[in-house]
Amino acid sequence: MIRQTRIDSPLGEMLLRAEQDALTGIFFVGQRHCPDIASNTPDNGDDTLLDETRSQLDAYFAGRLARFSLPLAPSGSDFQQRVWRALAAIAYGERATYGELTHRLGLAPGAARAVGTAIGRNPLTIVVPCHRIVGSKGALTGYAGGLERKRALRDLEAGQRIRHSVAQT
């Protein structure tokens, strides 16, 4: 059974989803690939795992948490799972390019596009840190939640506080 709840964050409303004992999704409401929240799935406002996720996200946004400790079970192909594990290994505040990530995965340089597609389908935004991936020259490119949110997350990890809510992009 899918359990879900919506939470407010400094970067806009988020949807948290879990099945059994693990998180299956963390999305900004309205981002690309966000599941339909108008479904018949009830909001589980009183759920231990979803509450812990909210608590860790709050600590992250306040600059007090650099590494999440949550049980994760994202749904995706073997290739997507491999890319998402590589994303999870990128440390707080660090950056990597699509090409560097492709190299870390032991793939040919031409696979960077496939890696980018898998990153774009990451169902666990922030916790699996796709915002730490940049273009080949360091440019902020591609983020399902919008580039303003990606910039804000990068700034947060560089020691800057989030000053205002980022409008949905």
Side-chain angles (χ1 to χ4, degrees):
M1 178 174 93
I2 296 172
R3 303 181 323 276
Q4 70 182 19
T5 193
R6 292 187 203 193
I7 65 169
D8 290 323
S9 84
L11 300 180
E13 188 177 29
M14 299 182 81
L15 174 68
L16 312 180
R17 295 187 109 189
E19 290 184 54
Q20 298 176 1
D21 295 328
L23 284 171
T24 58
I26 301 173
F27 305 91
F28 288 106
V29 172
Q31 81 174 50
R32 283 179 299 183
H33 313 299
C34 182
D36 180 13
I37 56 177
S39 70
N40 293 332
T41 305
D43 189 301
N44 302 87
D46 199 18
D47 181 282
T48 304
L49 177 56
L50 297 176
D51 289 344
E52 178 59 23
T53 303
R54 176 193 326 241
S55 176
Q56 288 190 33
L57 284 167
D58 287 346
Y60 170 83
F61 284 122
R64 296 187 318 266
L65 181 76
R67 186 161 188 83
F68 293 91
S69 58
L70 298 163
L72 308 177
S75 179
S77 70
D78 289 343
F79 180 76
Q80 288 171 326
Q81 298 283 344
R82 191 170 161 214
V83 171
W84 299 335
R85 282 191 300 274
L87 283 174
I90 300 170
Y92 182 92
E94 289 187 7
R95 291 184 185 183
T97 66
Y98 293 95
E100 289 168 345
L101 192 61
T102 300
H103 180 73
R104 289 180 194 179
L105 289 164
L107 302 170
R113 180 165 286 194
V115 168
T117 299
I119 291 169
R121 288 290 190 161
N122 171 19
L124 293 162
T125 195
I126 301 174
V127 172
V128 175
C130 48
H131 60 277
R132 296 179 187 155
I133 301 298
V134 296
S136 62
K137 296 182 179 166
L140 294 184
T141 61
Y143 186 65
L147 290 181
E148 287 300 315
R149 286 186 177 122
K150 186 172 188 171
R151 185 174 291 107
L153 292 168
R154 298 290 311 143
D155 290 348
L156 173 69
E157 292 188 8
Q160 301 173 24
R161 298 191 70 77
I162 295 174
R163 292 177 179 76
H164 62 283
S165 180
V166 174
Q168 184 176 341
T169 55

